[in-house]
Amino acid sequence: RNEDIEYIILWIMNTVRFLHVLQQYSGDEKYTVQNTPEQNQQCLKNFDLADYQIILSDLVVYLYNEILNRIKTKLIPMIIPAIIEYEDLEQVGLLTSARIATSVTGKRPKFSAQDLIKQLTDYHKVLQMYFVEPAIIQQLFKQIFYIVNAQALRGLLVRSDCCNWNKALQIRYNLNHLTEWLHNQQLRESGAADCLQPLTQAVQLFLLKKDEKNIDEMINMCKSLTIAQVTKLLSLYKSMDDFDDQVTPLLIKKVGEALKQQRLDSTKDQKRIDYEHQENFDLSFTYPLLYPYVSFDVSFENLEIPNEFQLDFLPLM
């Protein structure tokens, strides 16, 4: 019930550790193989705490979802301004003079890419400070980057003013900051970068030459986007000058037909068909939480219990 996210992070760490200790001393062979002989002698012999392990496992999932919900509440308002709208002044040097004039809107977004990265860094520091299991940290950031992708793409699909060559260059630049951040935080193995593939491919679609000769390249490059998303993005695309490609209705139709032939002609799976016709990714989707058992390396016989606890009657084997 505490509104402070650190409070929930502290308790997910405590709960996971307590669950693993119960498993370690449960007497179950799959957990005791890593124990020392002394630890195996200390295993419970007269109590079966399997039901409590289930309760604690459910509590971990609840706490994880609570952390995720609080992060979503904080991050979702930041994502579209930071990823889609934000234009880094350093990036202007990468644009031709003909395109610079089209990029100046005179209005800066409420949040920058740096603001989003700072918030991610703050979350990562708190998780590490409370020694949350690395597997949980990695899964949490994979989920966060799924949300970043889903929300940013959702914004792009309703903003024709952001569907052009110039904006694509800016968005790619902002995405590069996020992937670099993952690298710097040792989160490359989390799968978080892969969650950005749909948005990355949307950007690549805008930067690609859009004519009938390139239809095969377009459909092969957009493997993480649905058919509906690809055709909608092409329909929103606006050429910015005479050097840019005009996207014709005929081209959009041919791309859509090629994608249907590639993905749906050989399937009768209704879920697959429905998926290819959806424009937005589900923001409420959550990857299953998986965290491996980690044994506790502190021996009971070496514990020093403070006198203030008044537990002198409790023998430590």
Side-chain angles (χ1 to χ4, degrees), residues 209-226:
K209 186 172 180 61
K210 289 165 284 297
D211 58 29
E212 292 188 21
K213 295 179 181 178
N214 277 1
I215 288 178
D216 287 344
E217 186 175 355
M218 281 190 278
I219 65 175
N220 290 327
M221 185 184 63
C222 297
K223 292 180 179 179
S224 298
L225 293 166
T226 67

Side-chain angles (χ1 to χ4, degrees), residues 51 215 267:
D51 290 341
I215 288 178
T267 183

Side-chain angles (χ1 to χ4, degrees), residues 167-289:
K167 265 296 182 183
L169 202 62
Q170 297 280 0
I171 295 168
R172 185 173 70 176
Y173 189 67
N174 294 336
L175 289 175
N176 286 342
H177 284 305
L178 287 177
T179 53
E180 183 181 355
W181 181 85
L182 286 171
H183 177 82
N184 292 337
Q185 304 299 326
Q186 286 80 50
L187 290 169
R188 289 169 294 177
E189 305 301 322
S190 65
D194 293 336
C195 292
L196 295 177
Q197 279 301 305
L199 184 59
T200 302
Q201 291 173 11
V203 169
Q204 291 171 334
L205 180 65
F206 289 161
L207 296 175
L208 188 67
K209 186 172 180 61
K210 289 165 284 297
D211 58 29
E212 292 188 21
K213 295 179 181 178
N214 277 1
I215 288 178
D216 287 344
E217 186 175 355
M218 281 190 278
I219 65 175
N220 290 327
M221 185 184 63
C222 297
K223 292 180 179 179
S224 298
L225 293 166
T226 67
I227 296 172
Q229 289 167 345
V230 174
T231 53
K232 180 67 178 290
L233 289 167
L234 287 173
S235 69
L236 290 171
Y237 186 82
K238 304 296 181 185
S239 59
M240 303 303 294
D241 53 45
D242 294 337
F243 301 99
D244 205 357
D245 301 305
Q246 296 285 349
V247 178
T248 64
L250 180 60
L251 177 65
I252 298 172
K253 181 180 179 181
K254 288 187 175 182
V255 170
E257 289 174 348
L259 285 168
K260 287 177 183 177
Q261 183 178 4
Q262 182 192 68
R263 301 182 184 183
L264 299 180
D265 274 6
S266 60
T267 183
K268 294 182 180 179
D269 184 351
Q270 191 58 47
K271 287 185 178 180
R272 176 67 180 176
I273 295 170
D274 292 342
Y275 172 78
E276 290 294 346
H277 285 91
Q278 73 176 30
E279 285 189 1
N280 292 318
F281 291 120
D282 184 4
L283 275 173
S284 64
F285 168 78
T286 306
Y287 294 105
L289 177 61

Side-chain angles (χ1 to χ4, degrees), residues 20-21 23-24 30-32 34-35 291-296:
H20 287 169
V21 169
Q23 292 170 333
Q24 183 173 0
K30 65 181 176 181
Y31 300 119
T32 58
Q34 300 178 30
N35 286 354
Y291 50 97
Y293 163 73
V294 179
S295 61
F296 196 42

Side-chain angles (χ1 to χ4, degrees), residues 16-222:
V16 170
R17 173 47 51 209
F18 186 36
L19 171 62
H20 287 169
V21 169
L22 284 185
Q23 292 170 333
Q24 183 173 0
Y25 291 94
S26 65
D28 191 328
E29 289 185 6
K30 65 181 176 181
Y31 300 119
T32 58
V33 291
Q34 300 178 30
N35 286 354
T36 64
E38 291 79 10
Q39 288 174 324
N40 282 333
Q41 289 179 4
Q42 296 161 354
C43 286
L44 296 170
K45 296 180 175 61
N46 300 317
F47 298 94
D48 181 3
L49 301 183
D51 290 341
Y52 290 93
Q53 292 180 37
I54 295 172
I55 292 171
L56 289 171
S57 296
D58 291 342
L59 181 57
V60 171
V61 173
Y62 170 80
L63 292 168
Y64 177 83
N65 288 332
E66 186 65 27
I67 292 169
L68 187 58
N69 288 335
R70 296 183 186 201
I71 289 176
K72 285 170 68 174
T73 300
K74 183 77 172 181
L75 288 188
I76 284 180
M78 301 176 68
I79 293 169
I80 293 176
I83 302 299
I84 304 300
E85 299 173 356
Y86 179 67
E87 296 184 1
D88 194 332
L89 294 179
E90 295 177 3
Q91 169 73 354
V92 173
L94 301 177
L95 305 176
T96 65
S97 58
R99 297 185 189 274
I100 290 175
T102 66
S103 70
V104 178
T105 62
K107 182 180 179 181
R108 294 186 66 82
K110 185 176 181 181
F111 299 104
S112 69
Q114 288 73 27
D115 292 330
L116 179 59
I117 288 172
K118 182 182 182 302
Q119 188 62 59
L120 294 174
T121 303
D122 290 344
Y123 287 138
H124 191 249
K125 285 181 178 178
V126 172
L127 290 161
Q128 288 188 312
M129 181 176 70
Y130 286 105
F131 299 99
V132 175
E133 295 290 345
I136 294 179
I137 294 177
Q138 292 200 358
Q139 288 186 76
L140 183 61
F141 279 98
K142 180 181 180 180
Q143 188 68 50
I144 289 172
F145 273 63
Y146 171 86
I147 294 164
V148 169
N149 173 83
Q151 178 68 2
L153 193 60
R154 187 179 293 249
L156 197 61
L157 286 163
V158 295
R159 295 282 298 272
S160 60
D161 60 314
C162 294
C163 297
N164 55 67
W165 188 93
N166 179 56
K167 265 296 182 183
L169 202 62
Q170 297 280 0
I171 295 168
R172 185 173 70 176
Y173 189 67
N174 294 336
L175 289 175
N176 286 342
H177 284 305
L178 287 177
T179 53
E180 183 181 355
W181 181 85
L182 286 171
H183 177 82
N184 292 337
Q185 304 299 326
Q186 286 80 50
L187 290 169
R188 289 169 294 177
E189 305 301 322
S190 65
D194 293 336
C195 292
L196 295 177
Q197 279 301 305
L199 184 59
T200 302
Q201 291 173 11
V203 169
Q204 291 171 334
L205 180 65
F206 289 161
L207 296 175
L208 188 67
K209 186 172 180 61
K210 289 165 284 297
D211 58 29
E212 292 188 21
K213 295 179 181 178
N214 277 1
I215 288 178
D216 287 344
E217 186 175 355
M218 281 190 278
I219 65 175
N220 290 327
M221 185 184 63
C222 297

